[in-house]
């Protein structure tokens, strides 16, 4: 994940999707990127009031919503309404416009945001990085947790964290040493130094600048410890995880660890990597409404 110049946002224009829209606008302004908001026109029983309108009317309504977000009027904006499942539409336009980052709202219990399953489907449908937003943004990301297992997926996760915090902030690299539940820290004693050979290649050549990069090791089940680390840290606002993006059944759509963290994390989650799946979704290449700077 290199510089972010094109951001693609999935939105249904409901009030609960405002957090993802606000974060996408904030990132676009912070990183100097353009922003495209996409609305997937629903059919059947899920069809809402807006879904009965012509696409250009939906796109105009999207521009109106975007115009209410602080900082949006200074951005290069585009809106598009397309028929088809949201994951197919996102994959199609992410490829068409070479999106560097996809953004979608993530549900928590009692929320009406996109479900974890829907966010998973977007991640599987497109190999491009996907930011699942849960928290209302009050400023740029200042603290990022990056779980690493020293596999090839760890490298793009760290690079993505550096992009999400381009100047000042803290990046915590965490390796969870998986041990049987019957054992405790008293039975297995490890330290960060024991994994120096794993952290060193990750950090080699990294230009930290004013960012603070730390490394740490925990014992236990990876999913539980990653979530606990995020909960216990007052500075963690984002978890960045690598994922193989493999398809599968049920909870294995993007890998069990990534799925569980996505479902249980107390903060936003960025999924990086993945081999995607068939890009042949039947989504019309509707060009949408474009606005480049100036008043909405």
């Amino acid at each position: 994940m290199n510089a972010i110049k094109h951001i693609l946002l999935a939105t249904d224009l409901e009030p609960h999707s405002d957090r993802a829209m606000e974060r996408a606008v904030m990132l676009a302004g912070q990183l100097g990127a353009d922003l495209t908001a996409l609305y997937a026109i629903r059919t059947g029983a899920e069809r809402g009031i807006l879904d009965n309108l012509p696409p250009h009317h939906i796109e105009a309504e999207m521009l109106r919503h975007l115009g209410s977000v602080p900082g949006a009027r200074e951005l290069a904006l585009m809106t598009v309404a397309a028929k088809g499942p949201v994951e197919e539409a996102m994959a199609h336009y992410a490829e068409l416009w070479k999106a560097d980052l996809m953004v979608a709202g993530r549900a928590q219990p009692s929320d009406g945001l996109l479900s974890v399953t829907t966010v998973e489907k977007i991640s599987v449908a497109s190999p491009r990085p996907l930011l699942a937003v849960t928290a209302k943004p009050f400023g740029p990301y200042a603290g990022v947790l990056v779980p690493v297992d020293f596999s090839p997926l760890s490298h793009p996760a760290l690079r993505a964290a550096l992009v999400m915090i381009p100047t000042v902030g803290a990046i915590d690299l965490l390796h969870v040493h998986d041990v049987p539940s019957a054992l405790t820290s008293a039975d297995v004693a490890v330290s960060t130094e024991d994994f120096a050979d794993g952290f060193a290649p990750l950090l080699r050549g990294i230009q930290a600048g004013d960012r603070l990069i730390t490394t740490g090791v925990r014992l236990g089940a990876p999913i539980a410890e990653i979530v606990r680390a995020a909960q216990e840290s007052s500075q963690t606002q984002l978890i960045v995880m690598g994922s193989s993006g493999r398809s599968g059944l049920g909870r294995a759509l993007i890998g069990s660890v990534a799925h569980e963290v996505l479902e249980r994390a107390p903060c936003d989650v960025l999924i990086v990597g993945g081999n995607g799946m068939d890009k042949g979704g039947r989504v019309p290449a509707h060009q949408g409404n474009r606005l480049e700077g100036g008043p909405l």
Side-chain angles (χ1 to χ4, degrees), residues 76-106:
L77 301 173
M78 183 172 177
T79 60
V80 61
K83 293 181 179 179
V86 63
E87 65 270 17
E88 291 186 8
M90 287 290 284
H92 174 82
Y93 284 103
E95 185 64 26
L96 182 66
W97 291 322
K98 308 303 179 187
D100 301 303
L101 177 68
M102 301 184 296
V103 180
R106 176 173 71 90

Side-chain angles (χ1 to χ4, degrees), residues 41-48 51-52:
I41 300 174
R42 294 161 291 189
T43 59
E46 297 182 352
R47 196 176 188 88
D51 299 300
N52 296 313

Side-chain angles (χ1 to χ4, degrees), residues 165-180:
I165 298 185
T167 53
V168 179
I171 299 175
D172 299 323
L173 301 182
L174 172 66
H175 175 69
V176 180
H177 185 56
D178 195 359
V179 298

Side-chain angles (χ1 to χ4, degrees), residues 20-130:
M21 184 176 289
E22 290 170 7
R23 176 59 72 182
V25 168
M26 186 175 294
L27 282 172
Q30 174 189 353
L31 302 174
D34 57 39
L35 173 62
T36 298
L38 181 145
Y39 181 100
I41 300 174
R42 294 161 291 189
T43 59
E46 297 182 352
R47 196 176 188 88
I49 296 176
L50 287 176
D51 299 300
N52 296 313
L53 298 176
H56 67 279
H57 286 177
I58 299 175
E59 291 158 1
E61 184 65 10
M62 293 169 73
L63 280 179
R64 189 183 70 81
H65 273 70
L66 280 167
S68 67
V69 179
R73 294 176 182 271
E74 287 73 46
L75 300 177
L77 301 173
M78 183 172 177
T79 60
V80 61
K83 293 181 179 179
V86 63
E87 65 270 17
E88 291 186 8
M90 287 290 284
H92 174 82
Y93 284 103
E95 185 64 26
L96 182 66
W97 291 322
K98 308 303 179 187
D100 301 303
L101 177 68
M102 301 184 296
V103 180
R106 176 173 71 90
Q108 283 191 328
S110 302
D111 275 350
L113 297 172
L114 292 179
S115 68
V116 170
T117 300
T118 302
V119 173
E120 273 195 311
K121 288 180 179 178
I122 295 173
S123 182
V124 172
S126 173
R128 297 179 184 273
L130 171 63

Side-chain angles (χ1 to χ4, degrees), residues 12 38 85 105 110 113 115 124 131 151 160 186 224 231 244 247 255 266 293:
D12 58 8
L38 181 145
S110 302
L113 297 172
S115 68
V124 172
L131 175 63
S151 73
Q231 292 171 335
S244 62
S247 60

